[in-house]
Amino acid sequence: GALGAQEARDDLGRIVQSLFAPLILKACAAASLVSLGDPRGVEGLRAVLRAWRPDGRSHAVRCVGELKVLALADELCRFVDAPRGTDPLTLAEALASLSGAHDGARKALHRMAARDDEAGASARAFVREAGREDAR
């Protein structure tokens, strides 16, 4: 997606819509479609986030955060209370990325910050950093 290879859109779309493609591959293809501005990418990431199997979910969470896909912020917020195999550190980072533009993501990050574990410490650091940026 970062290469801007518009001619790859159809092939990426087929991967995203495939029933048998590995979820990690679907997440990568969907992220590329998002980078290309194709709406199938958002739906592909949503499908990976909602999939029964957890493989690929953490990568999809990372992609949502890196690409700032606000349309999927609510999906990420749900993982704070029910992680469903999502790496909590990856989730905290993705929520932090979205928190400036999405109130729900900001609230979810604050809920994570209340945890007494490594993910909570990470969330607290992101909250502090956001506070410093707001003060500037």
Side-chain angles (χ1 to χ4, degrees):
L3 297 176
Q6 293 291 332
E7 60 274 3
R9 289 172 81 163
D10 289 335
D11 291 331
L12 293 168
R14 278 191 287 281
I15 293 169
V16 167
Q17 295 170 343
S18 171
L19 293 175
F20 301 109
L23 292 177
I24 188 75
L25 181 60
K26 284 185 175 192
C28 292
S32 293
L33 286 171
V34 169
S35 296
L36 293 170
D38 190 311
R40 293 177 294 179
V42 173
E43 292 310 310
L45 286 171
R46 185 184 321 275
V48 174
L49 293 171
R50 291 183 176 180
W52 184 75
R53 294 186 337 261
D55 52 311
R57 188 172 294 127
S58 288
H59 185 66
V61 166
R62 179 180 308 283
C63 292
V64 169
E66 287 177 355
L67 297 170
K68 297 190 186 322
V69 185
L70 292 175
L72 297 175
D74 289 334
E75 299 282 341
L76 270 54
C77 293
R78 290 185 190 109
F79 293 139
V80 171
D81 299 318
R84 299 187 59 222
T86 303
D87 175 62
L89 297 173
T90 301
L91 179 59
E93 185 175 355
L95 288 170
S97 174
L98 300 174
S99 66
H102 191 276
D103 191 49
R106 184 181 49 77
K107 290 176 182 174
L109 186 61
H110 280 272
R111 284 198 328 268
M112 281 193 84
R115 294 169 50 159
D116 188 26
D117 60 9
E118 187 177 3
S122 178
R124 287 189 294 279
F126 287 126
V127 167
R128 279 192 304 276
E129 180 62 29
R132 280 193 287 267
E133 288 178 11
D134 289 345
R136 291 180 195 162

